[in-house]
Amino acid sequence: MRARWAGPAAAAWLCLGAAHAQSVPVLAPSVEARIEALLARMTLEEKAGQLNLISNEPLNDPGAIRRGEVGAVINFSNAWLAAEADGAARASRLGIPLLVGLDIVHGYRTIFPLPLALAASFDPGLVRRAAAAMARESASAGITWTFAPMADVARDLRWGRVVEGLGEDSWLTGRLTAAQVEGFRDGGLASTLKHFAGYGAVLGGRDYDATFVAPSELHDLHLPPFRAGIRAGADAVMTALTALNGVPTTADAGLMTGILRRQWGFSGLVVADWQAVASLVKHGVARDGAEATRKALAAGVDMDMTSGLYLRHLPDEVRAGRIPEAAVDAAVRRVLRLKFGLGLFERPPIDPAGAESRLLLPETRRIAREAARASLVLLQNREAVLPIDPERVRRIALVGPFADAAWDQVGPHEGNGQPQDTVTILTGLRERAAASGVEVVFAEGCPRVCTERTGFAAAVEAARGADLVVAVMGEPRDRSGEGSSTAYLNWPGLQHDLLAAVAETGKPVALVVFGGRPTELGDAPERAHAMLMAWIPGTEGGPAIAETLFGDVSPSGKLPVSWPRTVGQMPLTYDALPGGRPHLPGSRWTMGYADESPLPLFPFGHGLSYTRFAYGEPEVLTPKVGVGDRYEAVLEVRAPVTNIGPRPGRAVAQLYLGQPVASRSRPKRLLKGAVLLDLASGETGTAHFRIPARDLGYHEPDGTLVVEPGEYRVGIGGDSAGPRMVSFTVETGWRGPPGGDQAQR
Ligand code: NOJ
């Protein structure tokens, strides 16, 4: 097995048997031998217990853990609860410790921006550090396993869970999924890639609805981020609650065993999503719990989350000869391997008394603030209203229902996040403004979700008396996350009326757009001079936004999703196929709508800065690439990037690839790389890319990777709409075996 934290835990094990003395180290039996020794002592019930994950519910039988009927828990979300549960497991006959799981999606107590917001940084290093900081904090409270990252590629903003993933693009999702896996490991948590597979394609964006994905699309778009996460060392994979092409993933042997284990060689743990084993009955593929159990285990699902069916049925099913005990043993081995790999058998019991002091540490908050800053996307900035110039702006009117919204800043999937820890935008702005001698007058205008106008007059008055209006408007936390899909993408309540009222004072308006995902902006781009996408920014969102408004940092975030004009455009992604009748404005018989442009309001990859960057012509250093037998061949391209504006700033140089003529129609542009360059005013840097030539390929329905010889195009620029494309040639192509490798479209 792969050595994980081969530090203190491994050393402790080598000395085991002499644990209380510093005497002669004994030769450690291998982990596999220890697993076999445990298995040999386990009853069928104890084996089923290892495959049983329970939630923290009031109705739980308090003796179940002590009887060895539980292998893992979820939602024991503070150190006292975790310590009690794990203590009961250690007191069971075999003393096998628990996996203590929780959804650490964007933090435990210190809340970071949601993953979609973090993705806007386009910065794997930062994403990794953020994940490590979240992991350290949660591990200090006894958590050992997170149900993250979500590697689903989200193609429809109506899907509430778009906020939990890393955007619409497969390459970016894969790159940042891998970074999260690495970060969680750095910080001491086991990770789970979820939801395998296709969940991001739910029909109409409706959570839990069916998914239909053509096999080649599955291999091109949805599977690569999982593969990237597995390569980065993910410990577990979670099924989806959905049925993919008619087969619930929790019963899909082709997916769980065929692709995941056989093609990719994944040897970690497969866990069902919440009650997903029981839901096989509702899906209509199992008559009862016993059949659901048989189907899930046979498909390759090792652990049952919260339906209790494995515990109830596995022993009898094995005794009746309907499930081979070897299949149960194989699943138990995977659970035990993870526990050994995490060092749980060697760890001292959880210490709840000390946990509190390890939460909200200054270093954790510092990384949360850095992450919040890096996620901000400057959508527009007319007349350079931003950054705020304290010479000209002496008083700011701060309005809008999300200016002082601590709980909304925490957002969904909150871990153990608390509103009282949040620094709101109001607090952050007041503090930062005071440092420059600028006054902030706060007049909310309307309370959260903005159903009444009684506060409008005060907001308008504040605007009149100010040099700049900062308006914080958008969506509350409960319009994104699991079970929060929406049919609309508009702002709730009367917020647009409030924006109109303050804008009509004639004072410049900087709009801070709040919410988990892009929303319909209506007339906001005309009303507001500047627009800064703040997402759901977490505990340190207030200072991060204030510092950015004042220009202490220049925004560098880029949209990881296309920003639509209206919900009616859903789904809308930058990597569409060219089509036989590509869109021509004003031309009826080309792709589009009679009543709206088919183009986004802001394209994927868009994001301004307080400075400007000029991208030079890309130079292809490998004008002829041969994939063929030189499978490790790379495409090498570079382009000069110059900061032509007045301030320092970070350029996010994005590399897009296309294959103009192929055996099948391919997207005009696909993101395949991003380089971050910090440049002083006037400075030129080089965006240098080395792209594995296999990334040029696409997949056949069985997963065969095909890189065709012929002409390709590559462009480097600041968003998906802009880059000039230049040609290069692939001289010898490649056909990889199914699962042999994964490229993207
Ligand atoms: C259901 C969600 O789909 C999954 O992502 C999550 O990890 C589990 N609930 C546990 O909270």
Side-chain angles (χ1 to χ4, degrees), residues 7-32:
W13 171 235
L14 281 173
C15 293
L16 205 77
H20 303 291
Q22 305 84 30
S23 53
V24 202
V26 294
L27 199 58
S30 73
V31 165
E32 290 304 315

Side-chain angles (χ1 to χ4, degrees), residues 217-255:
E217 174 93 346
L218 190 69
H219 287 283
D220 283 346
L221 181 79
H222 294 276
L223 296 184
F226 286 89
R227 191 75 193 273
I230 287 169
R231 285 216 174 95
D235 299 280
V237 169
M238 185 188 288
T239 68
L241 294 163
T242 39
L244 174 62
N245 300 330
V247 181
T249 63
T250 306
D252 191 339
L255 207 52

Side-chain angles (χ1 to χ4, degrees), residues 74 103 147 161 194-195 238 241 273-274 305 482:
I74 184 172
D103 290 333
F147 302 108
R161 302 196 80 168
K194 65 189 191 185
H195 307 81
M238 185 188 288
L241 294 163
D273 198 351
W274 188 275
M305 185 188 284
E482 187 184 350

